Amino acid sequence: MSEFNNRIAAQRHLLQLVNGKGWESEELFGLSRKAIERWTVANRIDPRSHIVELVEAASSKLFFLANKSQEQVSEEYKATASEIALIAKAIESEIRRCS
Amino acid sequence: MHIYAFGSICRGEIHPNSDVDLLVIGGGDVAQYDPDIYSIYTYLRIQELWGEGNPFAWHLSLESRLLFSSDDQDFLRSLGKPAPYSCCARDCEKFLSLFRHARASLTDSCASRVFDLSTIFLSIRNIATCFSLGVVKSPNFSRSSALLLEKNAVPLSVVGYQVLERARVLCTRGYGPKITDDEIDAALRELDAVYDWMSELVERAKRT
């Protein structure tokens, strides 16, 4: 699979981990800053909570996929797979702790 | 350092919900710009994209306007035309694969449905853009490129297309009404035809 498609798959995996909790009002739709803001407001989540910090960290690693649509046919950024995997593990344990 | 507007505003496609795509090109100091506002590139990377004939280079070449230049030069114009686009079949296959994975996820899991619909929108739009550039030779970088391919347009109802587009806006800009289960089911019913359409574009790209 291309790097681009791998990163989409990583984003999907993170969203499925976060949304595994079953939020009060709305799932997290994406990892853009605005989608994260909507999710925290809709579900009345403390924006300073650890889960929000982790989601924002994931967003910053994948920001170009979360926000941009025009240049996605280019393979732009160096692989950050190991960092993403660490964040995913932390999100998984945080969701388990909160559930 | 150079700043450009590109995309819909340069095509004259102005909608109340349109955002403005901004590109900043610079040297080593370019990382200080906000990635939520700008697409950020170094001069070197832009030159590489030009040399590869990447669709994004073609997009910038055809649909960008200089907003600021620190040296009174128009950097993108100085590069001339990008190299010919030669990876159309590979890129179309990539977006078909993206579509396939998103559709499988939609049927396997309920935890990322809006994201999966958004990814399907992205795959449809990008395969159409690549096809228009690489096969039809009439590049279309619009958000609606898949609907504007005339006889090659995506076989998707207007309502189905709008559901996918709304999903994209929810994922990227975080606004708009939620997508209902009925809307998701209706969109899902149209995806077999979309898959066949994408497969056909891939085959035609391979023959070109």
Side-chain angles (χ1 to χ4, degrees):
Chain A
M1 214 193 294
S2 73
E3 183 193 344
F4 177 80
N5 288 10
N6 280 332
R7 285 164 181 268
I8 291 276
Q11 195 172 347
R12 177 182 296 116
H13 177 59
L14 290 163
L15 291 171
Q16 291 183 345
L17 289 176
V18 173
N19 292 331
K21 176 169 162 44
W23 296 97
E24 183 184 314
S25 173
E26 281 186 1
E27 68 189 70
L28 176 60
F29 296 131
L31 290 178
S32 66
R33 184 175 53 80
K34 288 176 182 171
I36 295 169
E37 277 173 15
R38 175 175 173 138
W39 168 69
T40 56
V41 170
N43 296 293
R44 292 180 292 180
I45 304 167
D46 180 352
R48 291 160 302 175
S49 64
H50 189 40
I51 186 66
V52 174
E53 277 177 17
L54 290 169
V55 168
E56 285 175 343
S59 170
S60 73
K61 295 292 170 200
L62 294 165
F63 74 86
F64 65 99
L65 290 183
N67 295 307
K68 303 294 189 289
S69 59
Q70 297 296 318
E71 75 270 34
Q72 290 185 341
V73 286
S74 59
E75 304 284 353
E76 273 317 292
Y77 295 80
K78 302 289 180 198
T80 54
S82 57
E83 290 171 283
I84 296 293
L86 281 176
I87 295 171
K89 198 168 266 186
I91 287 176
E92 199 169 6
S93 52
E94 184 64 13
I95 291 292
R96 207 178 300 125
R97 196 184 66 75
C98 296
S99 298
Chain B
M1 193 257 293
H2 294 80
I3 296 177
Y4 290 84
F6 67 100
S8 58
I9 197 163
C10 295
R11 288 190 298 274
E13 290 176 8
I14 309 296
H15 303 290
N17 297 335
S18 295
D19 55 359
V20 177
D21 294 306
L22 294 172
L23 167 75
V24 59
I25 313 171
D29 58 343
V30 80
Q32 65 186 304
Y33 290 89
D34 183 348
D36 279 326
I37 297 172
Y38 296 99
S39 293
I40 304 166
Y41 284 79
T42 62
Y43 292 114
L44 179 62
R45 186 60 187 135
I46 288 287
Q47 285 166 325
E48 287 171 355
L49 292 175
W50 241 250
E52 292 163 10
N54 186 286
F56 186 50
W58 278 100
H59 187 182
L60 294 176
S61 164
L62 295 169
E63 294 180 356
S64 66
R65 300 261 177 88
L66 180 66
L67 300 179
F68 173 77
S69 169
S70 57
D71 61 2
D72 292 328
Q73 304 294 311
D74 186 332
F75 174 69
L76 293 182
R77 299 291 93 76
S78 76
L79 296 174
K81 263 189 180 180
Y85 176 40
S86 59
C87 298
C88 183
R90 184 201 67 186
D91 288 342
C92 287
E93 280 188 311
K94 179 169 76 175
F95 295 120
L96 177 61
S97 171
L98 194 67
F99 174 95
R100 209 184 284 122
H101 283 92
R103 189 170 66 163
S105 174
L106 265 174
T107 49
D108 292 347
S109 166
C110 287
S112 55
R113 291 189 306 175
V114 173
F115 177 75
D116 289 326
L117 292 172
S118 164
T119 302
I120 284 172
F121 178 81
L122 185 66
S123 67
I124 290 171
R125 172 217 169 126
N126 283 3
I127 200 172
T129 294
C130 291
F131 187 83
S132 73
L133 177 63
V135 177
V136 184
K137 311 293 183 193
S138 175
N140 189 313
F141 301 100
S142 155
R143 195 172 187 82
S144 304
S145 57
L147 297 175
L148 301 173
L149 278 178
E150 298 179 348
K151 62 183 181 180
N152 299 304
V154 63
L156 193 54
S157 69
V158 172
V159 172
Y161 194 85
Q162 285 171 343
V163 168
L164 299 180
E165 194 170 28
R166 272 171 51 208
R168 181 73 192 155
V169 173
L170 282 167
C171 286
T172 55
R173 294 186 234 162
Y175 73 80
K178 282 198 280 190
I179 294 171
T180 66
D181 290 345
D182 285 347
E183 288 175 323
I184 292 173
D185 289 342
L188 271 171
R189 283 194 292 275
E190 297 200 54
L191 295 186
D192 280 346
V194 174
Y195 179 78
D196 291 344
W197 169 77
M198 292 180 81
S199 300
E200 172 65 19
L201 295 195
V202 169
E203 289 309 312
R204 288 185 56 192
K206 283 179 179 172
R207 292 197 298 267
T208 300

